[in-house]
Amino acid sequence: DIQMTQSPASLSASLGETVTIECRASEDIYNGLAWYQQKPGKSPQLLIYNANSLHTGVPSRFSGSGSGTQYSLKINSLQSEDVASYFCQQYYDYPWTFGGGTKLELK
Amino acid sequence: QIQLVQSGPELKKPGESVKISCKASGYTFTDYAMHWVKQAPGKGLKWMGWINTYTGKPTYADDFKGRFVFSLEASASTANLQISNLKNEDTATYFCARGRHWFAYWGQGTLVTVSS
């Protein structure tokens, strides 16, 4: 199975700050990566697919990048509504696997 | 609009069974696979597997082979997850999610609590 190692596990940032979350795959996943945002008590919401494609309706302050085994999600100009947990998911090879998650809080 | 609506929370005892439903609307049910994802309390997401909504063929992740069954009521645009011989570690929220690779649509989740 492909292991997805996400970092950091938690993050505290100020409004307006730029935040970066990393995801490392145990092998090349050829951009088969999605990012999700999950707020407490809610289902995950798709942000990014194919490593860098913004899902419809997602604010442009979210962006994804990376290749090979290293990927990142960047949030520019952090807003209060961005407080949530974030997960990466690889879909290059079965079984699909998720990163352990990053809990983003306001400083 | 596209919606996945799951059945309500369940409280079960160890050894019992539970069946969770996921009713889809707003699109042609058989055009997209349905996946299932587990989230234990305070934990991350774990992919359980998927069902081909056209053929009805299920595929299970290794950790979900044996006690877990994916099924369809295609005429009702509904996917089901049945868990038998429940264990304490099955306590979790279970999500259905539409897609082949990434999941743009999710159900609201069904909390299954297993407790004696």
Side-chain angles (χ1 to χ4, degrees):
Chain A
D1 298 2
I2 297 175
Q3 307 302 316
M4 303 301 293
T5 303
Q6 197 172 330
S7 60
S10 62
L11 180 55
S12 183
S14 302
L15 291 174
E17 199 173 323
T18 294
V19 166
T20 300
I21 298 169
E22 308 277 346
C23 212
R24 185 181 79 249
S26 58
E27 61 184 83
D28 196 329
I29 57 171
Y30 298 94
N31 283 16
L33 185 97
W35 289 97
Y36 300 90
Q37 176 193 70
Q38 186 181 31
K39 296 183 179 179
K42 301 292 186 183
S43 53
Q45 301 294 305
L46 177 67
L47 298 173
I48 301 285
Y49 61 95
N50 289 346
N52 56 26
S53 296
L54 194 67
H55 180 53
T56 305
V58 175
S60 59
R61 64 179 181 275
F62 291 91
S63 64
S65 64
S67 62
T69 62
Q70 296 278 126
Y71 298 87
S72 60
L73 172 71
K74 188 163 81 170
I75 310 172
N76 285 318
S77 188
L78 187 70
Q79 305 294 303
S80 57
E81 60 264 33
D82 300 335
V83 170
S85 292
Y86 293 84
F87 297 92
C88 61
Q89 176 226 339
Q90 70 80 20
Y91 48 83
Y92 172 68
D93 194 20
Y94 283 123
W96 295 169
T97 45
F98 291 89
T102 296
K103 187 172 183 180
L104 175 59
E105 298 174 326
L106 280 180
K107 192 180 290 181
Chain B
Q1 74 281 23
I2 295 167
Q3 281 191 302
L4 302 177
V5 179
Q6 297 184 225
S7 49
E10 301 271 6
L11 174 61
K12 295 289 183 181
K13 291 181 168 47
E16 293 184 337
S17 296
V18 69
K19 189 173 185 178
I20 300 164
S21 66
C22 170
K23 182 168 176 60
S25 61
Y27 70 98
T28 301
F29 182 68
T30 51
D31 281 353
Y32 295 87
M34 194 69 77
H35 295 246
W36 291 93
V37 176
K38 176 183 178 181
Q39 187 169 38
K43 302 294 185 183
L45 303 167
K46 188 161 188 177
W47 181 77
M48 301 173 66
W50 66 288
I51 186 164
N52 184 316
T53 54
Y54 187 75
T55 65
K57 180 187 174 187
T59 299
Y60 302 96
D62 284 347
D63 286 351
F64 299 97
K65 290 178 179 174
R67 299 187 296 113
F68 300 81
V69 175
F70 306 148
S71 64
L72 301 175
E73 295 169 49
S75 60
S77 298
T78 298
N80 300 306
L81 164 63
Q82 184 160 353
I83 311 172
S84 59
N85 189 21
L86 282 161
K87 305 178 186 304
N88 289 334
E89 54 264 38
D90 295 325
T91 294
T93 297
Y94 294 86
F95 295 98
C96 59
R98 191 196 89 161
R100 182 180 178 188
H101 298 116
W102 58 85
F103 307 131
Y105 297 95
W106 295 67
Q108 82 276 22
T110 296
L111 175 62
V112 174
T113 304
V114 183
S115 174
S116 53

